[in-house]
Amino acid sequence: MRVSVVLLLFFFCCVQLQRGDDQLVVGDVQLLNKSHVESSEPDQTSVHPDVWTELRELRNMVAELKKQNTALEGRVVSTEVGVEALREENASVFTAPLRGVYYFRFNLVGNSESNMLAVCLFKNKEKILDVSQIPNGLNKYAVGGATLLLQKGDHVYVKLRSNSQISDNSDNHCTFSGFLLFAM
């Protein structure tokens, strides 16, 4: 859409209608006959051939840019849907099914040269544990665990602190797990 608007503005800058004598000006070439202005294709004999070649090329470019724009709009929509699905997948929130004592453990790895590896374990919105490392480009692990008394419906989750970064691969170095020790 933006590309089309830019091209339309470009075309209007190149083509201007002079009010005094209703003559169409394309670049530096004037179309002298008013009937030429009203028809969709002016008489090509009164205009330099290079102008028509350039006009055809511009029309082809506009058509191609419209195709590309349509394709890009589709990709933007699918990317937005993918990001939302990824957020849901990475939520990693445990909800206690019953009252009891639970054990939780997390293992995260980071190797950024510019970002810390800093993570917190939360029970509902209360910070329980905070672990941080400075990877300096090397693989550094942030490991933590806690035993918690939970009521039915309590939430437990791991959250990265701001300006923090983790890294993982198919070997699943980053984990968050928990289990019920005993019900109460």
Side-chain angles (χ1 to χ4, degrees), residues 17-173:
L17 183 62
Q18 298 175 349
R19 290 181 181 255
D21 52 3
D22 290 334
Q23 293 177 349
L24 185 62
V25 177
V26 180
D28 294 332
V29 179
Q30 268 189 345
L31 301 178
L32 302 174
N33 190 340
K34 185 176 179 181
S35 65
H36 294 218
V37 175
E38 294 169 358
S39 71
S40 62
E41 283 288 328
D43 181 12
Q44 294 187 14
T45 59
S46 64
V47 180
H48 195 275
D50 290 343
V51 172
W52 293 110
T53 304
E54 187 175 339
L55 185 57
R56 274 189 225 95
E57 289 174 2
L58 285 172
R59 283 182 180 165
N60 291 339
M61 286 174 57
V62 167
E64 181 61 30
L65 288 170
K66 283 181 182 179
K67 288 179 190 175
Q68 290 176 5
N69 190 38
T70 302
L72 288 173
E73 284 175 349
R75 287 175 55 190
V76 167
V77 170
S78 66
T79 301
E80 289 170 354
V81 170
V83 167
E84 197 58 40
L86 188 59
R87 280 190 186 128
E88 287 181 26
E89 179 185 320
N90 291 330
S92 294
V93 175
F94 171 81
T95 303
L98 53 98
R99 183 176 193 272
V101 177
Y102 294 81
Y103 176 74
F104 293 93
R105 178 177 172 79
F106 60 86
N107 186 55
L108 303 170
V109 67
N111 57 17
S112 174
E113 291 185 21
S114 58
N115 293 66
M116 286 187 60
L117 170 60
V119 64
C120 301
L121 177 71
F122 284 87
K123 172 185 169 187
N124 299 319
K125 294 183 180 182
E126 175 189 0
K127 188 189 305 183
I128 302 297
L129 180 63
D130 188 338
V131 177
S132 62
Q133 290 284 344
I134 302 173
N136 292 329
L138 303 171
N139 282 339
K140 295 281 184 153
Y141 288 86
V143 179
T147 303
L148 302 171
L149 172 61
L150 300 179
Q151 303 300 321
K152 181 178 179 178
D154 280 350
H155 298 287
V156 178
Y157 55 94
V158 175
K159 185 176 179 181
L160 286 175
R161 290 193 348 219
S162 61
N163 298 322
S164 183
Q165 184 177 352
I166 64 171
S167 102
D168 204 0
N169 59 25
S170 61
D171 294 332
N172 297 319
H173 296 283

